[in-house]
Amino acid sequence: MEKVSFVIDDAVASIIRAPLVTPFRIATGQHDELENVFLRLCAGDGICGYGEAAVATHITGETVAETLDNLESAACALRGRRISDPVAVCREFAPAFAGNHAGLAALEMAVLDLSARLQGIPFHRLFTPLVQNAPAFSFATDITVVIGTVEQARQTARDFAQRGFKTFKIKVGADEGIDLERVLAVREAAPGCEIVLDANMGFNATRMLAFLERLDAGGARPALLEQPVPKDDWEGLCAITRALEGSGILVCADESVGSIAAARRAIEMNAVSAINIKFMKSGILDGAEIARLAVESGKRLMLGAMMESSLAITASAHFAAGLGCIDFIDLDTTFFLSGAMAHSPYLDASGRFDLSAAAPGIGVEPEFP
């Protein structure tokens, strides 16, 4: 990453809320509204950088109150400070966010956004491509089919297929019988679509493999299976990966890999064939290192999100464009929001991002209360 020197004249952390169009239900819980912590850092010339912490207590155990406290402390420490090496500053503050990686992601996002804006470059320019012929500035996200009824799954697939979506990520793990019907309903409503299954730790290895056999018999083989077992069940992940070798189904770690150390473990054990990177699990800088490890070991990559607004979602899209090595894009949460925070300037109604003409920084400026 390039360096630029600047002084932070003002720093503010605040909670921002946004309504959801519909509850976002997964096997381990649900979101009923967006309630995230945002950080704004402003330089002397009035240019500001922004960061977002999307707190998913039911997944990570982090809380909004804890995250706000950590970001307010960081804001206090940053006011009046000259920044000559943005990455070094992010690394310096990382220990203060141990156990609060969503807060760390917000800090890194704001510092790097401000740096990019002051340099006059888009956010994706801060990341070094990890593969040849990168970056790719245009790519499509999947759309999530949340836990619900069979008819709701069918209607979601029908509506989004008509808008141009090609990949459907179906949440499973609450009720196997209904889940089977829901997946088959999506296949029927959107024939030819690519299916991703996300169990959010809702199965064990034996039940997951049996479920996949039933799906296969129904003509609905997924391209990727995300986090089928509890995050500490490494033996279960290994067993599923071995059983599915040669099947064309990738096994992807999500909750199991929230750090560089966990990524190394997954790779060394050959526990999975893919890894899901999320800023809110690992932070941004460590997320880039996880991507490098995955590419070097031949693992595929997915880029996902918690319940994030257009700010963090657009930052993740820049990350994908800059690294150029993401195989599965799962950056769809703005489609579950209403209001101003649902709009990304580089995402259209069909789920396609285009950052080929991106402005400096991330390109999203949330309104602070």
Side-chain angles (χ1 to χ4, degrees):
M1 296 186 184
E2 300 178 40
K3 297 180 182 179
V4 61
S5 179
F6 55 91
V7 175
I8 297 178
D9 277 9
D10 189 37
V12 178
S14 182
I15 295 173
I16 295 180
R17 296 177 175 85
L20 268 62
V21 176
T22 183
F24 192 91
R25 301 185 188 92
I26 65 174
T28 54
Q30 75 176 49
H31 283 279
D32 296 303
E33 71 168 349
L34 180 143
E35 183 186 32
N36 291 346
V37 186
F38 287 70
L39 179 65
R40 182 181 65 199
L41 304 177
C42 296
D45 52 8
I47 296 177
C48 298
Y50 301 89
E52 176 180 2
V55 180
T57 304
H58 59 289
I59 296 175
T60 66
E62 299 175 10
T63 67
V64 170
E66 155 196 39
T67 304
L68 179 61
D69 285 346
N70 286 338
L71 286 172
E72 284 181 334
S73 295
C76 183
L78 285 168
R79 289 190 197 103
R81 179 163 174 175
R82 175 169 292 280
I83 308 297
S84 57
D85 187 338
V87 171
V89 169
C90 291
R91 295 297 191 195
E92 174 191 331
F93 277 84
F97 290 89
N100 184 208
H101 287 167
L104 176 62
L107 174 78
E108 293 177 333
M109 197 180 303
V111 171
L112 297 177
D113 184 30
L114 180 55
S115 175
R117 288 172 187 259
L118 290 170
Q119 293 179 68
I121 61 173
F123 196 74
H124 62 72
R125 284 272 305 278
L126 298 176
F127 303 97
T128 302
L130 294 176
V131 296
Q132 292 182 346
N133 302 319
F137 293 117
S138 181
F139 43 82
T141 179
D142 61 20
I143 190 70
T144 301
V145 180
V146 299
I147 296 288
T149 67
V150 175
E151 186 51 42
Q152 286 171 335
R154 179 179 290 109
Q155 191 61 50
T156 297
R158 184 181 297 123
D159 291 347
F160 281 92
Q162 289 175 351
R163 291 169 61 166
F165 283 79
K166 305 296 184 184
T167 302
F168 291 82
K169 174 176 168 175
I170 308 168
K171 296 286 188 178
V172 296
D175 184 305
E176 292 177 35
I178 294 176
D179 286 343
L180 180 68
E181 294 183 51
R182 291 172 55 246
V183 177
L184 295 177
V186 170
R187 168 62 75 207
E188 179 185 2
C193 71
E194 183 173 70
I195 290 176
V196 170
L197 293 187
D198 186 0
N200 286 114
M201 308 184 288
F203 289 75
N204 60 35
T206 301
R207 286 170 43 225
M208 189 76 256
L209 291 171
F211 185 78
L212 290 174
E213 285 185 6
R214 297 172 69 189
L215 278 182
D216 207 20
R221 176 178 294 189
L224 180 143
L225 171 63
E226 187 180 350
Q227 198 62 49
V229 298
K231 64 180 181 179
D232 295 323
D233 185 5
W234 292 96
E235 290 183 3
L237 280 174
C238 289
I240 293 172
T241 298
R242 285 194 302 268
L244 295 179
E245 188 174 359
S247 69
I249 302 175
L250 296 171
V251 181
C252 181
D254 181 6
E255 286 89 344
S256 291
V257 175
S259 66
I260 293 174
R264 288 198 178 102
R265 181 177 184 180
I267 291 167
E268 289 169 0
M269 293 179 66
N270 199 29
V272 292
S273 42
I275 292 173
N276 187 343
I277 295 173
K278 291 178 179 174
F279 287 175
M280 304 303 150
K281 290 192 303 178
S282 61
I284 298 174
L285 300 181
D286 280 6
E289 176 63 12
I290 292 170
R292 185 189 66 80
L293 291 171
V295 169
E296 290 181 351
S297 63
K299 303 298 181 185
R300 306 285 292 278
L301 281 167
M302 184 178 198
L303 183 62
M306 301 301 190
M307 181 48 63
E308 300 170 19
S309 79
S310 57
L311 175 61
I313 287 295
T314 305
S316 290
H318 278 282
F319 182 85
L323 295 183
C325 58
I326 308 299
D327 303 288
F328 294 85
I329 302 292
D330 179 33
L331 301 176
D332 65 337
T333 56
T334 54
F335 292 100
F336 293 86
L337 299 177
S338 59
M341 294 308 294
H343 175 67
S344 168
Y346 310 121
L347 176 62
D348 68 21
S350 73
R352 179 159 290 278
F353 287 94
D354 186 352
L355 292 101
S356 57
I362 296 170
V364 176
E365 299 189 25
E367 293 186 9
F368 270 61

